[in-house]
Structure formats: structure tokens, C-alpha cells
Amino acid sequence: MAAHITAASHGGPRFNEHLSSEGRRAAENGIWLCQQCSRLVDADDSAYDVADLIDWKTFAEAAAAVELRGYVVRKGRDFAGLEAKMPELIGEMRSDIRSKPFTREIIALSRRVSYNPGPIPFFSYFHEDHNELLAKLQICEHYGAIYDVRRNDVPRWNFDEDFAEYLLGQ
């Protein structure tokens, strides 16, 4: 989803009165974000300043250029920062993985639904226990903590090994 780094109109997030209307429409003032991140960035513009958004854009463009040449780019991961955003969910994940250190799959469910996928072990996280659970899991995915392995129309992810080690080591 295309988003503005500085708002296109007065009163919008991070509006820059010194920018011309052409500058507001220019590609340099744009950034590609997912729908969830776009809402987060615009809902709390004090937490995401112009310099941060420009840094994100610069990194993403440089990473894309490098990856187009066949290389893999991995940005350092701040799992402690992720945990600060959602301490209850990450705390539950830590407790779960310590109890079953070789389980990696997680599923988002409602407590009103019974689900039995068979012999594959997994951790369940419930919408009733975590406000905006799917949004939080999407942010975990953006951090590289988990990755999507959806099947049977059931939202499910696996822990990334670096994140599993982070949870087991704390």
C-alpha cells in the first residue's frame, strides 16, 4: 500500500508546511507499507517520525537492489523491541516454547472453536486472550520472528529459529 512519508494535506500525520504540493505527490515522499503498518504509522505519528520512515525506505530500496542481484539481505532483528510492543503474547510464547522446546508451529484460534489437526504439535493463541491477535502476529511476521505456513484456511505460523533461540535464551 502506498503511503505518504509527510502528509498530503494539512492536519495529516507528519505534515510539512514547507513542502510544495508537487513535493507532497512526489515518489520521494512515498513509501510502500502493508495495510497494518500504514495504519500504525499514521495512528501514532509521534512514534514514527519522518527520519525513521526515510531510513525504512532507504533500507528497503537498497535491500531490493541487492536481492535483485541474487544476494540475501538480513537486517538485524530487535526481538527485545518486539517484546516491548506485546509483552503478554511474547511472554506466553516464551513459556510455551520452554515447555516444548522442539515445537515450532503456532495457530491463532477462537476459544469457541475446537480444532484438531492431527499428530503435529502446535501452540494455540486465542483471540479472546490477546486483543488484535492477528495484527500482533502480522507484526511478529514483519520482525522475522515467525513465518506464515497457513493451510486448511487456519492461520498458522512457525517460529523462526532465531526467534525460538531468543525465547529459549531469555
Side-chain angles (χ1 to χ4, degrees):
M1 164 179 238
H4 289 95
I5 293 173
T6 63
S9 59
H10 290 279
R14 299 167 305 279
F15 180 76
N16 179 351
E17 64 186 35
H18 303 292
L19 199 59
S20 68
S21 58
E22 293 81 24
R24 289 186 190 98
R25 288 191 306 265
E28 292 77 24
N29 190 39
I31 185 170
W32 290 107
L33 298 171
C34 72
Q35 188 174 11
Q36 182 69 32
C37 288
S38 175
R39 275 191 245 134
L40 286 172
V41 164
D42 284 349
D44 187 3
D45 60 334
S46 64
Y48 302 96
D49 64 19
V50 171
D52 288 336
L53 296 176
I54 291 171
D55 284 349
W56 288 3
K57 179 179 177 172
T58 302
F59 177 82
E61 289 174 348
V66 169
E67 288 175 355
L68 284 171
R69 290 171 177 81
Y71 298 97
V72 175
V73 175
R74 275 187 57 183
K75 184 178 178 187
R77 300 182 205 180
D78 180 18
F79 295 135
L82 176 65
E83 186 166 13
K85 291 180 189 320
M86 51 190 90
E88 295 85 14
L89 178 59
I90 303 302
E92 186 176 344
M93 289 175 172
R94 177 174 287 114
S95 176
D96 285 344
I97 201 166
R98 285 183 174 170
S99 70
K100 297 178 184 173
F102 298 107
T103 299
R104 294 296 184 261
E105 190 164 328
I106 64 175
I107 299 177
L109 297 170
S110 169
R111 290 198 180 276
R112 296 176 295 220
V113 174
S114 72
Y115 180 73
N116 182 358
I120 300 170
F122 63 92
F123 301 121
S124 298
Y125 300 103
F126 297 98
H127 296 281
E128 294 84 358
D129 296 342
H130 301 282
N131 290 334
E132 301 184 39
L133 177 61
L134 292 179
K136 289 177 179 177
L137 291 170
Q138 186 176 37
I139 291 168
C140 288
E141 194 173 344
H142 292 186
Y143 266 75
I146 62 176
Y147 56 93
D148 193 328
V149 293
R150 176 183 304 260
R151 63 181 181 272
N152 301 334
D153 292 324
V154 176
R156 58 176 89 217
W157 296 263
N158 277 353
F159 287 124
D160 176 85
E161 284 306 310
D162 290 339
F163 185 57
E165 288 177 23
Y166 170 79
L167 294 173
L168 288 166
Q170 294 289 319

